[in-house]
């Protein structure tokens, strides 16, 4: 069963008036994750980093088929310029869009349910201009397009979900690595909160379980973590340029747990050096079969590209 069929089947539980437990649907949810290749690429050109990282994990042709509708989910939440590290690097997003179209995607949509004014966030982050230049559509998430949907999670049973994300054949999750004042870090799993509407602050009451629920529900096809410029303090919005640090790095994997476990290691100064397994959401995601925190296990690629 592909990702879209899975979402439709789960969402269909709502229409039938029944909850469909995700744990009973496929266990583990990402059975291929443990053996999934994981790539970390460093260098001065963000576009080259994305292309090489995706190539090392199998190439975009492995994830996107001819005629697919692809939903790219960057972090556009804040009215901040790229230098502040609060939003995904626009060149990273642009390159993901180009790769998806080169792989045969029929349409690529780039969108986020922003915290600040969407029009300012899309423009100031540079993502709208970059994504459209590459050929993507960049709609603002209007309230009318959120539909009540069966999530079937442990903390998030039912929520309003952006329809275009439900209808897409593929979701490519493109977060930026950041400090977060409440959870310590915000990485790929928390980035999926931008696909839902409603009173999202209510998820903060059980944040760790809630973001694992969202990851289990949306099942992103591929995760590409932007660590070109990371936010190490005063997240998730950031304060001054001193809060951000340049790493010139991009990581890619189909396993969101590997991505997030590795992401905690590059944000050590943001959370006093806790080990990946000390983060509750990583432990829970691993226990529920979403992947493994052992990012060096299996096929691990680490490369530095010349300038």
């Amino acid at each position: 069963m592909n990702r879209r069929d899975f979402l439709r089947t789960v969402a269909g539980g709502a229409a039938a008036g029944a909850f469909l437990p995700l744990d009973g649907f496929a266990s583990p949810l990402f059975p291929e994750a443990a053996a999934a290749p994981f790539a970390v690429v460093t260098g001065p050109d963000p576009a080259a980093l994305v292309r090489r990282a995706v190539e090392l994990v199998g190439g975009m042709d492995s994830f996107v088929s001819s005629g697919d509708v692809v939903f790219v989910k960057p972090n556009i939440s804040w009215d901040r310029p790229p230098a502040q590290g609060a939003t995904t690097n626009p060149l990273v997003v642009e390159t993901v869009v180009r790769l998806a179209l080169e792989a045969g995607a029929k349409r690529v949509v780039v969108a986020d349910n922003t915290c600040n004014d969407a029009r300012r966030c899309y423009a100031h982050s540079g993502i709208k201009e970059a994504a459209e230049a590459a050929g993507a559509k960049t709609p603002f998430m209007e309230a009318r397009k959120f539909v009540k949907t069966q999530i079937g999670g442990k903390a998030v049973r039912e929520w309003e979900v952006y329809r275009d994300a439900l209808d897409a054949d593929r979701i490519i999750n493109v977060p930026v690595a950041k400090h977060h004042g409440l959870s310590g870090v915000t990485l790929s799993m928390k980035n999926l909160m931008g696909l839902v509407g409603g009173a999202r602050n209510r998820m903060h009451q059980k944040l760790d379980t809630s973001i694992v629920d969202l990851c289990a529900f949306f099942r992103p096809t591929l995760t590409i973590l932007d660590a070109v410029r990371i936010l190490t303090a005063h997240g998730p919005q950031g304060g001054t340029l001193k809060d951000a640090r340049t790493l010139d790095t991009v990581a890619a994997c189909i396993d969101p747990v590997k991505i997030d476990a590795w992401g905690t290691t590059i944000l050590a100064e943001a959370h006093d050096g806790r080990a990946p397994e000390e983060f509750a959401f990583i432990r829970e995601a691993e226990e529920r079969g979403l992947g493994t925190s052992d990012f060096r296990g299996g096929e691990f690629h680490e490369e530095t590209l010349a300038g």
Side-chain angles (χ1 to χ4, degrees), residues 78 178-186 190 204 207 231-238 270 274:
W78 307 104
K178 296 195 294 184
H179 167 258
H180 192 283
L182 181 60
S183 56
V185 297
T186 171
K190 193 170 185 311
H204 288 167
L207 183 59
L231 184 62
T232 61
H234 302 116
Q237 299 185 56
R274 283 185 279 168

Side-chain angles (χ1 to χ4, degrees), residues 261-303:
W262 178 81
T264 65
T265 68
I266 62 173
L267 287 166
E269 64 202 273
H271 55 73
D272 299 324
R274 283 185 279 168
E277 59 270 20
E278 293 181 74
F279 289 86
F281 74 95
I282 290 179
R283 287 199 309 273
E284 181 165 349
E286 192 164 21
E287 288 166 2
R288 290 169 61 177
L290 273 68
T292 173
S293 62
D294 181 16
F295 57 85
R296 289 188 179 276
E299 191 178 330
F300 179 71
H301 303 276
E302 196 168 22
E303 287 191 8

Side-chain angles (χ1 to χ4, degrees), residues 203-218:
M203 289 188 183
H204 288 167
Q205 296 171 14
K206 294 181 179 179
L207 183 59
D208 294 308
T209 299
S210 295
I211 63 176
V212 174
D213 285 345
L214 294 180
C215 187
F217 175 74
F218 286 112

Side-chain angles (χ1 to χ4, degrees), residues 5-56:
D5 290 342
F6 173 82
L7 292 186
R8 286 174 172 171
T9 302
V10 173
F19 289 115
L20 183 61
L22 290 177
D23 289 345
F25 209 83
S27 183
L29 288 167
F30 298 98
E32 70 278 30
F38 180 49
V40 178
V41 184
T42 300
D45 179 357
L49 301 181
V50 174
R51 286 188 175 274
R52 182 56 178 158
V54 172
E55 180 182 8
L56 287 169

Side-chain angles (χ1 to χ4, degrees), residues 16-288:
F19 289 115
L20 183 61
L22 290 177
D23 289 345
F25 209 83
S27 183
L29 288 167
F30 298 98
E32 70 278 30
F38 180 49
V40 178
V41 184
T42 300
D45 179 357
L49 301 181
V50 174
R51 286 188 175 274
R52 182 56 178 158
V54 172
E55 180 182 8
L56 287 169
V57 299
M60 193 60 85
D61 291 349
S62 301
F63 309 111
V64 174
S65 300
S66 178
D68 277 352
V69 175
V70 177
F71 193 102
V72 175
K73 170 60 181 73
N75 188 320
I76 327 177
S77 277
W78 307 104
D79 181 10
R80 297 283 188 275
Q84 290 196 260
T87 52
T88 305
N89 185 292
L91 291 176
V92 169
V93 179
E94 177 182 333
T95 308
V96 174
V97 172
R98 292 191 188 282
L99 286 173
L101 291 171
E102 290 168 12
K106 177 174 64 179
R107 184 169 73 254
V108 179
V109 176
V110 175
D112 190 10
N113 189 12
T114 61
C115 295
N116 294 150
D117 177 78
R119 285 157 181 78
R120 293 183 61 85
C121 293
Y122 276 43
H124 209 182
S125 68
I127 290 174
K128 178 178 174 63
E129 181 179 2
E132 290 181 351
K137 303 295 184 184
T138 59
F140 302 119
M141 288 191 174
E142 300 175 26
R144 64 182 178 84
K145 295 196 73 173
F146 286 91
V147 293
K148 188 173 291 186
T149 302
Q150 177 79 24
I151 302 295
K154 293 182 177 179
V156 185
R157 303 296 293 176
E158 186 180 73
W159 210 273
E160 294 178 4
V161 175
Y162 190 58
R163 182 183 297 278
D164 287 3
L166 290 172
D167 290 343
D169 297 292
R170 312 287 175 186
I171 290 177
I172 300 180
N173 194 12
V174 194
V176 58
K178 296 195 294 184
H179 167 258
H180 192 283
L182 181 60
S183 56
V185 297
T186 171
L187 297 158
S188 78
M189 286 186 245
K190 193 170 185 311
N191 194 48
L192 296 171
M193 287 181 69
L195 295 177
V196 301
R200 292 181 293 175
N201 60 326
R202 286 196 286 120
M203 289 188 183
H204 288 167
Q205 296 171 14
K206 294 181 179 179
L207 183 59
D208 294 308
T209 299
S210 295
I211 63 176
V212 174
D213 285 345
L214 294 180
C215 187
F217 175 74
F218 286 112
R219 302 183 65 164
T221 301
L222 176 66
T223 300
I224 299 170
L225 178 62
D226 167 24
V228 172
R229 193 160 166 82
I230 65 173
L231 184 62
T232 61
H234 302 116
Q237 299 185 56
T240 70
L241 292 178
K242 293 180 180 178
D243 294 333
R245 184 160 62 87
T246 299
L247 288 188
D248 285 333
T249 299
V250 166
C253 191
I254 65 169
D255 181 347
V257 187
K258 279 187 180 181
I259 285 280
D260 283 8
W262 178 81
T264 65
T265 68
I266 62 173
L267 287 166
E269 64 202 273
H271 55 73
D272 299 324
R274 283 185 279 168
E277 59 270 20
E278 293 181 74
F279 289 86
F281 74 95
I282 290 179
R283 287 199 309 273
E284 181 165 349
E286 192 164 21
E287 288 166 2
R288 290 169 61 177

